[in-house]
Structure formats: structure tokens, C-alpha cells
Amino acid sequence: MSAVRVEWRAVLDQLRSEINSRPAIAQRFSFAGQRRVPAWDPRSAPALVQLNAINSAMFAGIGRSPVPVLLPFDTAAYLEAEASGTRHPSVSRHQAGFRPVDLFHAGPSGYDAVFSLDPGAGDGLPSRTFARPVEVQITGSILVYDLADPLSGKGEPVRALASQFPDMRRFIREGYVRYAFTRFGVPYVVSIQCLDSAPRARRLACREAYPIAERFLKALRIAGGQPARPRFDVPSEVAERPASLSPDFSYRPSGDIIANSGARRRGGRADLVAYSQIRFPLEKAPARVSSQQLARRKSGERRGTDQGVYPWRDSFCEARSFQVGQCAAGFGHQGQDIRPAPCPPNSSADNACHPRKQAVVAVRDGVVIRSLKQQAATLQINTGNEHIRFRYMHMNPSAMDADGILNGRRVAEGEKIGVVSNYLDFPNGTSYHLHFDVQVFTRDGWIWVNPYTTLIASYERLIRGRGHEIGTEPPAAVAHALPKDVLRHVARQAAGRDN
């Protein structure tokens, strides 16, 4: 990871320009900072302190962001409406037609926000067949994960926004249309989930998303943020692993997916990085991480071994239709599938070991990103050393709605957030398992990375024993595979009977 340096003087110049468009409101802001005060000291930017105080009512904790917070919110126009006697002015009116923010989360690494545009809302937009509100996400981060990424930096300029964002790139990646740009030295990405296909009532086509994203981008204003002491490095952390060995936990190496199971028959992606020290996402062991889609006959395993839980096997980059830039083919499985241990033979469906009774828990303290009826729940982590997301899939959406697993919900590490289920757009859409994946923030936005090593380390802490990687047996174990005459020769040498 690397930390960027924020150009706060340019931020203040831009803020002054935006505020001065409303002279009566500009008088409420002070831009005269104290001399000989470090640029990161709040006293050097009193106007930002005032702006944070005003907007914290709508964007809680906005002053915690160490990068300028860009949002489609016109603070000066909103304050002018209040000053004219309008009680509780319409936020949407001063927010380019977007609803009041669905999620705003700021922390030591930057900020994330989610806004929605209702069907038919937004003057001047072309008609849309999509029947749901369109969600727009924006992230600004002081931390950037530097990945070996063959697709990094791709994209096309956007003529309609070239004057406002000279370095902007638009590209479709991993199921999102993304607009990446740098402002004040900070990387920002605006994204909308979409399909690169024809418009459909239940699926937003990417070409339908273009004008919505451009409307959002044109409306961006400085809404807050606070200078912080510059960072010149980001300390690396090593995930803890138990010293004692587990008697039974074993796993195949990272990237060792089932032969010919990758998209276009390409292999997996070996990734030895534990991206975060997390709690294992199932409440209790044992659990199995392995291919969820491929039959036993393709796995090379003997009949009956699929009923066990070990060894684990990587399935990141296994053939799927999802775009995954970290996979060699550009497509694949975005994460890992986790199954609770199977019930004993002849167990009833009401048995406590049944998958639908196995609790799914938060892997870290964090904030939930999830709207009503969505099947995916994302846990957002924003600390001084991490800007990372963990996504859970296949839990029952109705149950999550009832339990309040929704945008902005704060959860503690180990807190129950659901149970293992089989939902995939509809009940019984898949087998009982939990899909778990990891995303980190790059200059191309949120990118899926292989969570296999991260899960191994977390499972070892859960069971308090270090696992054994298949293929790393000591030399003595390999000797048994030698021809018998060679073994006899070695034995004679050891006994001193042969030269």
C-alpha cells in the first residue's frame, strides 16, 4: 500500500470558488488560516472546520476523512435556501435529484458514500427501463493498494467531463462502469453496477448508467474533510498464526484449483497475501473451503471424500461469467465458497448441525453496505492501515432485512449477521454455502483479490492450530516413494554394511 499526499491549498482555493457563488453565504466562512501553522493542523483551514460542522448533520463523521470529501451536494445553495426562510430544504433539490445519502462512512483512510436515483428522477435524463433505484458509489482514499494488475490504467476519456476532470477514465470492469480520476492528488472512483448488455427491467445496462454517472460527477462539490499529518509509509502487518500444529487441518496450495476448471482452461491465481487479520466468517469449526460447482469426478478425489472437510482447495478464478481482473482469463470466481461440516448420516433437517442453523459472523468491526432486498452484504473497514471490504453472499435477504443488516449498520467482530443459506436471486438457487470475497481499493476502484490465504490464517486462529499445506511434506516422507532396491541400499549404508 502507498499513501498519497493531499494538496490542501488547492482544496481551499476550490472551496472558496464554490462558496463565493453565493455572496451572502460566503461571509459565514473564514479562509484566513494562522501563519506558521502546519498545513495539516485544523487551524490552517478554518473554512473546512466550519464546513464539516455544517454538513455533519447529513453526513455523520465527515470531518474524519483525511481527504477532501466530494459529494453531489451544493452546500452554499442549501444554506441560502435555509437563510431565505425555507424550513428543512429538500436535500434532493440540492443534490442533483439524488435521494438523501444511503450510506456515508468516513475514517482514517478516506470515505465511501452511496447515493440512489429513483426511476424517472433527474430532469433531462433519457427514459430508463430499469425498474429499481440506481445506486451510485463514490470512494476517495488516502491509501492505495498497489496490485500486480494487467488491466490497471485502462479506459477512455469522457468528452462531456474533460474540462472538469482532465485525467478521467471510463471503463467497464468486474460488473461496474467506473469513472476514475485524480483531484487534489487524491484518487477517486465513481461506479455503478451494471451489465454490458441490452436494457432489461431487472438489470441495468451500462449504457443506461452513463448519463446517471455523468450527472453525479457534474454535481460534485467539496462537502468536507480535514487535513491530517502527512504519511510517508504504511506499515505492513503480519497475520498471526498459531505455533502448535493442528492434528487434522490440511489445505492445498493457493492457486491450485481443480485441473481445467478455470475460465478458458486457465489456472488459478496463487496469492500468498493475508490481506487482513480477520475472524473466520462462520461461527464455529469445522468448515470446508472448496469448489462449490464442480462434481466429484472432476476433482480427482475418491468417492466419499467430499463428505469430509479437509483438505481445503482454492476456487478463486474457477470458471464463472464474472469479470475478475486478477484472474489470468479475466473471468472467474470472485471469492471462496465455505461450507459447514456435514451432518452425521441419517440426521434430520432439524439437527443443530444443519447448514441453515450455522451462524455467519462479522469478520471485523465495520460498517454494513447493503440496501433492502439485496442478497449481498458488504462489510466496510476503514482504518489507518486498511481500506478493505468483505462481501457475504447467499444468505436470505428477507431475514437480513428483518435483522437490520442494512446500510450504515455498525457490527462488531464475531457478531452474528445471518445464517448459511442457499439464496441466489431466489430460494434454493444454489446449495447451502457461504460465498466470501475480499476487495481492496486501487486507482481503478474496488478490485477482487484472492481471499484463500486470508481465510486459512483466520481458520487457524479459530481452531488454534496451524494447518498443513499439501505438498510440503518433509524429505523423510518422500523417501517411501523410492524403489525398493534403492531403499535397501540406503538402509545398508545407514547400518555401515555397504559403501
Side-chain angles (χ1 to χ4, degrees), residues 34 37-46 49 226-229:
Q34 296 186 21
V37 172
W40 50 265
D41 191 303
R43 292 174 296 173
S44 69
V49 175
Q226 189 64 56
R229 187 188 296 271

Side-chain angles (χ1 to χ4, degrees), residues 42-43 45-54 225-226:
R43 292 174 296 173
L48 281 171
V49 175
Q50 295 164 327
L51 186 66
N52 290 329
I54 291 168
Q226 189 64 56

